[in-house]
Amino acid sequence: MSVFFLSAPPSISTVTHRSTATTITTRCSSLQTLPQPLPPQPLVPTSLSQPSSSNILLTNPKASPASSSGCSLNCPHFDSCSGCTHEDNLHRPVILHEATMFFKKHGVSDFTFDTCRLWGWRCRAKLAIRGSSTDPLIGLYEEGTHNVVNIPDCKAHHPSINAAVELLRKGVFENSELIFTEMHKVLMMMQVLSLFSGIKILHIDPYDEDERTGYLRYVQMAVTTYNTSLPVSERYRSGRVQVSLVWNSRSETSASSEKLNNLATYLWRNGGPNSKVHLIHSVWANFQTSTNNVIFGNRWRHILGERDFWEHVGGIDVYLPPSSFGQANTRAFDSLLQKLHKYVPVGSSVTDLYAGAGVIGLSLASARKCRKGICVEINKESKLAFEKTIERLPSSIDSSISWHHADTSIEPLSWLVGSDILVVDPPRKGLDPSLIGALRDIKSAERKAMTLESPIFKTKDEKRPWILRARENSIQIPSRTLQEENLSLPQTLIYISCGWESFKENCVALLSSNAWHLTKAHGFNFFPGTQSIEILAVFKRGPGASVKKKKPGKRKKNDKLSFKGQ
């Protein structure tokens, strides 16, 4: 697996785009001006339920903004960093026109696009560490190389990430005023100006890929913006960072463990709760000695700080250990979940494939949209996250919810029995071919289910090892209400996509079978500054309403005169 890091983007204004065909209003967030030379920063929204974003009805995708200066990247690392691909019009990536035309071609003329947060949106970043102990490089690879570029002022990163990186590398928070209130700024500057570099002062050698020497390979920075001790309006800007140090050793018992503990202690002493400004949430270590491009090894260790890392999205508290997958753009993901809720009727039975920690299914259950939920995920590390998350669900929830560690590419229909709605959130490569094939042939599969002819739908005397293993590794939350079993298959498919090219292929394959038709589609700006957009598409069973074309005929004389006279 190759290492690929995204990064991206602050000046903000309200820009209104007008054309003769339609009016598109794009709000690039409100503006809080800071002293120059710092670029202006976005005003933090007051709550996750009210994200700083705007919905754009893209009826005229060719409409171009009158000025792009209000939505420009203004990043000093743009020319050298591989994270971002364009500097202007962050609210309207170039790919938006193609997406609008694609959906219009397939019957969705009201495709919308949520601009979301344009700067300081990335709350989870994996950064390579190379160079030397006297001149450490912490950032992203140059495109097509393994040469690391420092990105201390990345405009995509949540400001707390940039501050934590600076603490790790230099010990001087040159841009720390992006994070805190005026009072906190003074306290921080009094403290940090006396700090020395963590890597430098402790003589921590970064990893050398050629020699396979050194200690610190990568760092993962994850920001939690959910702090109930603060007013809601202050939580985002005061986010704390979970720091995960990827260490070049097999375990914490290696000869270099003292250096690791010293570095963790340095970070905690200068950014923990006893420092002037509490920046660091916790410090973790991951141990990795592989020579390939895989970032994390299988062994983790909690060193300092809080063990439990929580975020609030989709109306629920979500537990996110450093080993599990987490969305980089927390605000945009919350916006997407709010939209998804609208397409799930109350009391539905939902199957969520590629479920991760089951956030989507649990969010629906919390909103009482889901009476029965099945979450299936291949990453076993997500099991702990699911277990911890359900502990904070309201006790009033009366839903049957289960999480399974399984490979959905093996007989995928076996997970869909009795579900009204299927939700899929696959990786960038898209749906597994076996799942595409099953969905294309879902009508015939349902006929077999009703006659109990197919072994896929037999729940008694199960002998298939992959199903048995999945059941053994599952977590079950029973419902207090007796629920009727049925053998129907989903009538609705909700597809969440982070890979545009794979989505197009999957979409065409589904539509060409006439087993599904497309009813709604929404785009979300999860990665401003790049050509990536997140898609939420809703499919319904059947070929859909066909458009009958009128046969060409002779135009009546009165019609000709009427047309001519207009």
Side-chain angles (χ1 to χ4, degrees):
M1 159 179 141
S2 60
V3 178
F4 180 73
F5 302 112
L6 284 179
S7 189
S11 59
I12 309 167
S13 63
T14 300
V15 184
T16 303
H17 314 301
R18 298 187 181 275
S19 71
T20 55
T22 187
T23 300
I24 300 175
T25 302
T26 301
R27 187 174 65 253
C28 298
S29 300
S30 299
L31 179 62
Q32 270 193 340
T33 303
L34 296 174
Q36 294 299 322
L38 294 174
Q41 297 294 306
L43 180 66
V44 178
T46 57
S47 71
L48 282 177
S49 61
Q50 295 177 335
S52 175
S53 61
S54 60
N55 259 344
I56 309 171
L57 184 61
L58 295 173
T59 53
N60 182 14
K62 292 185 178 181
S64 57
S67 173
S68 62
S69 59
C71 293
S72 296
L73 183 59
N74 297 323
C75 182
H77 311 303
F78 180 79
D79 292 331
S80 57
C81 173
S82 61
C84 297
T85 59
H86 62 276
E87 296 184 271
D88 299 318
N89 300 326
L90 301 185
H91 60 304
R92 289 181 61 87
V94 176
I95 199 173
L96 204 54
H97 174 63
E98 179 188 344
T100 306
M101 293 297 98
F102 176 86
F103 288 116
K104 186 174 182 180
K105 176 183 177 182
H106 294 289
V108 177
S109 58
D110 57 349
F111 172 68
T112 63
F113 184 69
D114 194 329
T115 62
C116 306
R117 191 181 183 90
L118 297 179
W119 303 273
W121 53 266
R122 179 173 282 280
C123 291
R124 183 174 291 256
K126 299 181 182 71
L127 304 172
I129 301 180
R130 299 294 185 265
S132 65
S133 61
T134 57
D135 186 21
L137 304 174
I138 305 177
L140 308 182
Y141 292 128
E142 289 181 13
E143 190 164 357
T145 76
H146 269 209
N147 300 323
V148 173
V149 177
N150 268 327
I151 52 169
D153 300 312
C154 174
K155 302 309 176 189
H157 288 167
H158 187 289
S160 291
I161 291 180
N162 288 340
V165 168
E166 198 68 4
L167 174 61
L168 180 65
R169 188 177 72 89
K170 285 179 58 182
V172 179
F173 295 68
E174 293 162 326
N175 288 330
S176 57
E177 59 266 37
L178 300 182
I179 310 172
F180 304 99
T181 62
E182 292 296 327
M183 180 180 69
H184 283 160
K185 287 183 201 177
V186 175
L187 292 174
M188 170 172 278
M189 296 311 296
M190 288 173 60
Q191 172 204 22
V192 301
L193 289 176
S194 64
L195 297 181
F196 294 96
S197 163
I199 293 177
K200 291 180 180 179
I201 195 171
L202 298 173
H203 303 291
I204 305 296
D205 291 322
Y207 180 63
D208 187 309
E209 293 182 58
D210 296 326
E211 301 295 331
R212 300 180 186 176
T213 58
Y215 306 113
L216 195 52
R217 299 169 63 121
Y218 300 96
V219 62
Q220 175 178 265
M221 303 279 191
V223 177
T224 172
T225 63
Y226 187 47
N227 185 351
T228 55
S229 66
L230 294 174
V232 174
S233 60
E234 297 179 17
R235 292 178 186 177
Y236 192 90
R237 76 171 66 233
S238 302
R240 294 174 183 167
V241 184
Q242 178 195 69
V243 180
S244 299
L245 306 170
V246 182
W247 202 253
N248 187 35
S249 68
R250 294 186 181 276
S251 71
E252 61 269 31
T253 61
S254 68
S256 62
S257 60
E258 184 178 355
K259 284 184 174 290
L260 171 61
N261 291 330
N262 288 342
L263 180 58
T265 301
Y266 167 86
L267 292 171
W268 190 244
R269 184 175 65 248
N270 294 297
N274 293 326
S275 62
K276 297 295 183 180
V277 177
H278 189 179
L279 172 69
I280 305 298
H281 170 276
S282 56
V283 183
W284 290 71
N286 175 265
F287 300 95
Q288 171 66 292
T289 58
S290 172
T291 58
N292 58 29
N293 289 332
V294 176
I295 295 176
F296 295 129
N298 295 322
R299 189 174 182 86
W300 290 84
R301 176 193 167 201
H302 172 247
I303 304 178
L304 290 166
E306 299 179 50
R307 178 178 287 273
D308 293 346
F309 181 92
W310 294 92
E311 190 53 88
H312 189 81
V313 291
I316 62 173
D317 293 350
V318 179
Y319 177 78
L320 292 170
S323 57
S324 68
F325 171 79
Q327 291 285 352
N329 195 330
T330 307
R331 289 296 175 90
F333 183 53
D334 185 75
S335 180
L336 184 148
L337 289 177
Q338 292 180 41
K339 185 75 70 174
L340 184 148
H341 279 203
K342 298 179 180 180
Y343 297 107
V344 180
V346 174
S348 299
S349 178
V350 180
T351 292
D352 181 10
L353 302 184
Y354 313 93
V359 175
I360 295 174
L362 294 176
S363 173
L364 291 170
S366 178
R368 293 180 172 80
K369 292 293 188 87
C370 176
R371 61 178 173 81
K372 177 183 177 183
I374 299 175
C375 304
V376 185
E377 168 59 34
I378 196 171
N379 179 12
K380 65 180 180 180
E381 299 291 345
S382 297
K383 182 179 181 180
L384 174 62
F386 182 86
E387 289 177 315
K388 298 284 286 187
T389 299
I390 61 179
E391 293 176 1
R392 287 202 181 184
L393 291 180
S395 58
S396 58
I397 291 179
D398 186 17
S399 301
S400 170
I401 309 171
S402 60
W403 184 94
H404 306 266
H405 174 223
D407 185 350
T408 56
S409 66
I410 303 174
E411 291 192 13
L413 283 176
S414 61
W415 299 106
L416 309 187
V417 184
S419 296
D420 308 312
I421 295 174
L422 170 62
V423 179
V424 294
D425 186 7
R428 194 170 297 276
K429 67 179 181 179
L431 301 178
D432 291 298
S434 58
L435 179 55
I436 287 288
L439 293 174
R440 284 170 57 91
D441 198 35
I442 194 169
K443 190 174 182 179
S444 62
E446 190 167 46
R447 285 197 299 266
K448 291 179 181 179
M450 296 306 178
T451 58
L452 297 178
E453 292 178 357
S454 173
I456 292 178
F457 305 97
K458 292 182 179 180
T459 57
K460 296 181 180 180
D461 302 323
E462 182 60 68
K463 296 181 180 179
R464 290 167 292 168
W466 54 89
I467 298 295
L468 293 175
R469 284 196 299 269
R471 289 180 180 175
E472 290 174 0
N473 294 325
S474 66
I475 304 169
Q476 305 281 341
I477 307 175
S479 172
R480 296 188 297 270
T481 304
L482 183 64
Q483 299 182 7
E484 296 182 1
E485 294 294 333
N486 67 78
L487 296 176
S488 64
L489 292 175
Q491 296 292 318
T492 301
L493 166 64
I494 301 178
Y495 192 138
I496 301 169
S497 169
C498 62
W500 174 242
E501 294 300 326
S502 60
F503 171 80
K504 287 191 298 181
E505 293 179 7
N506 292 169
C507 181
V508 171
L510 292 171
L511 298 180
S512 63
S513 67
N514 286 328
W516 301 88
H517 65 279
L518 192 59
T519 61
K520 288 288 182 179
H522 306 280
F524 298 86
N525 202 6
F526 269 37
F527 306 100
T530 77
Q531 287 305 314
S532 297
I533 59 173
E534 198 86 0
I535 295 294
L536 173 66
V538 182
F539 298 81
K540 295 288 186 178
R541 285 274 294 276
S546 59
V547 179
K548 295 182 179 180
K549 294 183 179 180
K550 294 183 180 180
K551 294 182 179 180
K554 293 182 178 180
R555 185 177 292 174
K556 293 182 180 180
K557 186 175 182 181
N558 290 341
D559 290 340
K560 290 182 179 180
L561 293 175
S562 176
F563 178 77
K564 188 176 182 179
Q566 287 179 350

